[in-house]
Structures are given as C-alpha cells and as structure tokens.
Amino acid sequence: MSQTPDDIPDEETLLEGEAQVEEQEPATKKPPRYKVVLLNDDYTPMEFVVHVLEVFFGFGREKATQIMLAVHTQGSAVVGIFTRDVAETKSEQVNNYAQSHDHPLMSRVEAAD
Ligand code: TYC
C-alpha cells in the first residue's frame, strides 16, 4: 500500500482560489494538410514522369522510378503531403510543365483526411 505524505497537497487544495479555465485549442494550431496525387495516363513517357518527381518533389532517381511505376501499375499515387498553398502550387507546376511539353500527365490535390 502506498502512503500519502501529509505535506503533499492534494489537487483540490492546489486549485483553491484559482480560476478554473476551460481547456483551449493551442494558439498555434497545425494547418490542415493536402495530398498531391499523381495520375497515370497511357502516353506520358516514363522518363518524363521520373524527371518530374525528381525536379518538383526532390526524389532521387531510384525512389522517383519506384513511385512512377506505382502510378503506372496502380493508376495513381500520393507523391507528397503539404500545406494547401504548397500542394496547389506543386500540382499546378506539374500540370503546366507537362502541358508545356505536350504530355497529358496530370496531378491533383486532395485533402489529407
Ligand atoms: N503509363 C505511362 C506509360 O506507359 C507512364 C506513366 C507513369 C504516365 C506515371 C503517368 O503518372 C504517370 N508510358
């Protein structure tokens, strides 16, 4: 059996005379996150997709190749999770870059749960 020493005040005693405050959301709440999803298509060259993953998402060649193949075989894959502005910007950059090279490659942004 544990003993409670007399000189350690219990919680109620500690709170006496103090205002009771509601639990609050922290003043700095984490911003919601958004996924950039890369979509498969039948025409964009694999090498171009690998290049896009390297340039816009910072993947090394090996990881970029793995992700490209995952999109190719599964139809789509999440290639990054960011704040809303960053996700929108990256997705637009990818789509504009692909279009400027006459490839149908597309990405889109989805809320991350
Ligand atoms: N399916 C394309 C091909 O066979 C390659 C590809 C991979 C395209 C990933 C888009 O997001 C993509 N050339």
Side-chain angles (χ1 to χ4, degrees):
M1 267 281 262
S2 69
Q3 291 192 328
T4 306
D6 294 335
D7 57 344
I8 300 179
D10 63 23
E11 200 182 338
E12 205 159 4
T13 307
L14 279 171
L15 291 171
E16 250 171 44
E18 290 178 27
Q20 296 288 310
V21 289
E22 293 289 319
E23 287 276 324
Q24 287 182 339
E25 288 286 308
T28 53
K29 202 162 181 286
K30 280 194 198 161
R33 303 277 145 171
Y34 291 81
K35 304 182 276 194
V36 175
V37 180
L38 194 64
L39 307 174
N40 189 35
D41 65 73
D42 290 339
Y43 304 105
T44 304
M46 290 184 173
E47 176 52 40
F48 184 83
V49 180
V50 170
H51 172 72
V52 162
L53 289 166
E54 289 176 322
V55 170
F56 294 102
F57 298 95
F59 293 111
R61 188 125 201 116
E62 208 160 299
K63 187 72 191 168
T65 302
Q66 282 179 8
I67 295 169
M68 179 279 295
L69 288 172
V71 177
H72 176 71
T73 56
Q74 291 163 45
S76 67
V78 176
V79 297
I81 300 182
F82 309 97
T83 57
R84 186 176 197 151
D85 278 4
V86 173
E88 297 283 6
T89 299
K90 291 213 181 258
S91 178
E92 278 169 23
Q93 285 173 337
V94 167
N95 297 350
N96 292 339
Y97 187 71
Q99 199 163 44
S100 75
H101 289 79
D102 294 322
H103 297 310
L105 178 66
M106 287 286 290
S107 65
R108 57 175 148 79
V109 173
E110 289 178 12
D113 31 63

